[in-house]
Amino acid sequence: MSQRSARSESFPQIAASLSSIARSFYARGWAVGTSGNLSAVVDREPLRLAISPSGVDKGELAANQILMIDEHGRVLSEHGAKPSDESSLHLTIVRERGAGAVLHTHSIWNTVLSDLHVAEGGLAIEGYEMLKGLHGVKTHQHREWLPIIENSQDMLALAASVGDTLRKHTDAHGFLLRRHGLYAWGADPAEAKRHIEILEFLLEVVGRTLLLKRSNT
Ligand SMILES: [Zn+2]
């Protein structure tokens, strides 16, 4: 992934794009009941991340609710709000991948498939034209391996599992947390959004195909 300059967009611009992405994910049913979270790099040296607050309705997320955190997840903005519980996962993905933005959804299809394929440790998606929407993928013959990580409420342990998985699967564009959701990232919010859209589309295709095959036998 190409790394952008240390500061490509201002905090207000980044906050506006994150809140608009949140509202669009909510509208598609990928972030209901205050689930899901979003972040983007504001500065790399020292690391500054714009991130959605914890427990907020993503259908109504406004740009002025987006927080700024440091590399330890401490809030630097002057709000009383708490950053997302999953901040440490966002920080891990930014460090491991040089990502400029990290997005997380809780859709029905990503939740179903993250459980169905847990025994294999991941899910292979291969042969679909839509794979070409993933950064660096040139052909539908690409095989995307989406690792599945066991869920946990211990965020330090979960961040360590995420780090191990990303180092092991250096080509992955995203991963699933079991019975929880999907993470994907990109060089900027627009690319991360595209990756979520592509992966959510493909997960729904895989899930619906399984259902149709089952009902035809
Ligand atoms: Zn989550």
Side-chain angles (χ1 to χ4, degrees), residues 34 52-56 58 67 81-85:
T34 78
S52 52
S54 173
V56 171
K58 301 305 178 298
L67 306 171
K82 215 163 92 33
S84 163
D85 292 337

Side-chain angles (χ1 to χ4, degrees), residues 28-182:
R28 284 180 257 191
W30 300 345
V32 298
T34 78
S35 68
N37 42 62
L38 312 91
S39 74
V41 172
V42 180
D43 257 317
R44 295 219 181 248
E45 293 286 336
L47 185 59
R48 296 289 179 261
L49 211 59
I51 192 160
S52 52
S54 173
V56 171
D57 185 330
K58 301 305 178 298
E60 292 173 8
L61 185 66
N64 63 11
Q65 290 176 290
I66 300 289
L67 306 171
M68 177 116 85
I69 60 170
D70 69 9
E71 71 273 30
H72 305 293
R74 291 180 299 221
V75 179
L76 302 172
S77 329
E78 290 168 12
H79 308 68
K82 215 163 92 33
S84 163
D85 292 337
E86 294 173 42
S87 299
S88 52
L89 307 190
H90 287 251
L91 289 164
T92 300
I93 296 166
V94 165
R95 283 193 202 104
E96 290 293 335
R97 283 294 201 262
V102 178
L103 303 175
H104 170 51
T105 48
H106 289 203
S107 72
I108 291 175
W109 287 110
N110 76 39
T111 305
V112 168
L113 290 166
S114 69
D115 195 33
L116 208 61
H117 291 273
V118 72
E120 300 98 278
L123 167 65
I125 306 177
E126 191 172 5
Y128 293 103
E129 182 68 15
M130 278 290 259
L131 286 162
K132 287 163 60 187
L134 300 174
H135 178 87
V137 176
K138 302 276 183 270
T139 165
H140 65 282
Q141 289 166 329
H142 172 76
R143 180 177 193 269
E144 181 72 16
W145 179 253
L146 208 51
I148 300 173
I149 300 169
E150 190 59 61
N151 194 29
S152 170
Q153 300 306 317
D154 177 344
M155 285 304 144
L156 282 180
L158 196 52
S161 308
V162 166
D164 289 346
T165 300
L166 294 178
R167 285 187 290 276
K168 199 165 153 202
H169 300 283
T170 50
D171 293 338
H173 292 84
F175 60 83
L176 292 164
L177 296 179
R178 186 186 186 193
R179 294 188 177 185
H180 175 163
L182 168 70

Side-chain angles (χ1 to χ4, degrees), residues 185-216:
W185 51 87
D188 54 28
E191 187 178 77
K193 174 175 181 266
R194 194 180 80 229
H195 286 168
I196 287 279
E197 287 180 342
I198 295 288
L199 292 171
E200 288 288 0
F201 174 93
L202 290 166
L203 288 167
E204 186 166 345
V205 166
V206 168
R208 286 181 182 273
T209 303
L210 274 174
L211 271 182
L212 286 170
K213 278 186 181 160
R214 225 165 263 191
S215 61
N216 284 338

